[in-house]
Amino acid sequence: MDTLTAMQISGSALKAERTRLNIAAMNLANANTTRTMEGGPYKAKSVVFAATPVEGVSFQDALNSTTERLRKVEVVQISEDKAPFKEVYDPTHPDADANGVVRFPNVNVAEQMVDMMSAKRAYEANVTALDAVKSMALKALEIGR
């Protein structure tokens, strides 16, 4: 594996984790949103990752059994949570139905906070991996001096 492949793998992880962090932030921001453009309360969303083959691997590298197993991560889907909405009795709320019940988003705040912390840690780990690759590449350049 060359340094560019390692950077490509870590870079894909940074992009995926940034998306996961953005979705968690969006879910938290809309945790109390009872009206959306689609109608009804906000629906929590989650990110689905998939391991995909690294692009740009040469034919010779593809013959090597370890290189063909190299995978990067991609966001393949942003799906809506199927959990039921929270129903709260509040007849004074402007979005209450005829029975005085208000439907709130299905956002689990604790779950979103854990997801944000996990995305942050994964992002930091991949930045560390990128720094290690960069350091190794610089050391390799020093050999030629």
Side-chain angles (χ1 to χ4, degrees):
M1 174 169 67
D2 61 21
T3 55
L4 292 178
T5 302
M7 287 183 175
Q8 184 181 8
I9 292 169
S10 290
S12 71
L14 292 174
K15 183 178 176 183
E17 293 301 339
R18 185 180 64 231
T19 301
R20 184 166 71 140
L21 187 62
N22 287 340
I23 294 298
M26 183 173 64
N27 287 339
L28 286 171
N30 288 289
N32 293 312
T33 302
T34 56
R35 291 183 200 174
T36 61
M37 292 174 56
E38 297 83 25
Y42 174 80
K43 295 177 184 172
K45 293 169 182 45
S46 60
V47 178
V48 178
F49 292 156
T52 60
V54 175
E55 299 162 2
V57 175
S58 70
F59 178 73
Q60 183 63 38
D61 289 340
L63 292 175
N64 183 351
S65 62
T66 58
T67 304
E68 72 185 32
R69 291 180 275 166
L70 291 177
R71 302 279 188 256
K72 62 181 182 175
V73 64
E74 287 185 357
V75 174
V76 292
Q77 182 180 6
I78 297 175
S79 60
E80 289 184 347
D81 192 344
K82 304 294 184 205
F85 295 118
K86 299 174 201 161
E87 293 185 348
V88 176
Y89 179 75
D90 183 3
T92 62
H93 194 284
D95 292 327
D97 63 13
N99 297 326
V101 175
V102 182
R103 292 175 37 197
F104 282 93
N106 55 355
V107 175
N108 182 332
V109 174
E111 184 179 299
Q112 296 303 316
M113 292 298 294
V114 168
D115 209 27
M116 283 179 54
M117 291 187 321
S118 175
K120 178 184 174 198
R121 296 288 182 237
Y123 195 91
E124 290 170 349
N126 281 288
V127 166
T128 301
L130 270 175
D131 286 342
V133 170
K134 181 177 111 180
S135 175
M136 290 170 60
L138 290 174
K139 289 292 181 186
L141 289 174
E142 289 178 9
I143 292 172
R145 289 185 188 179

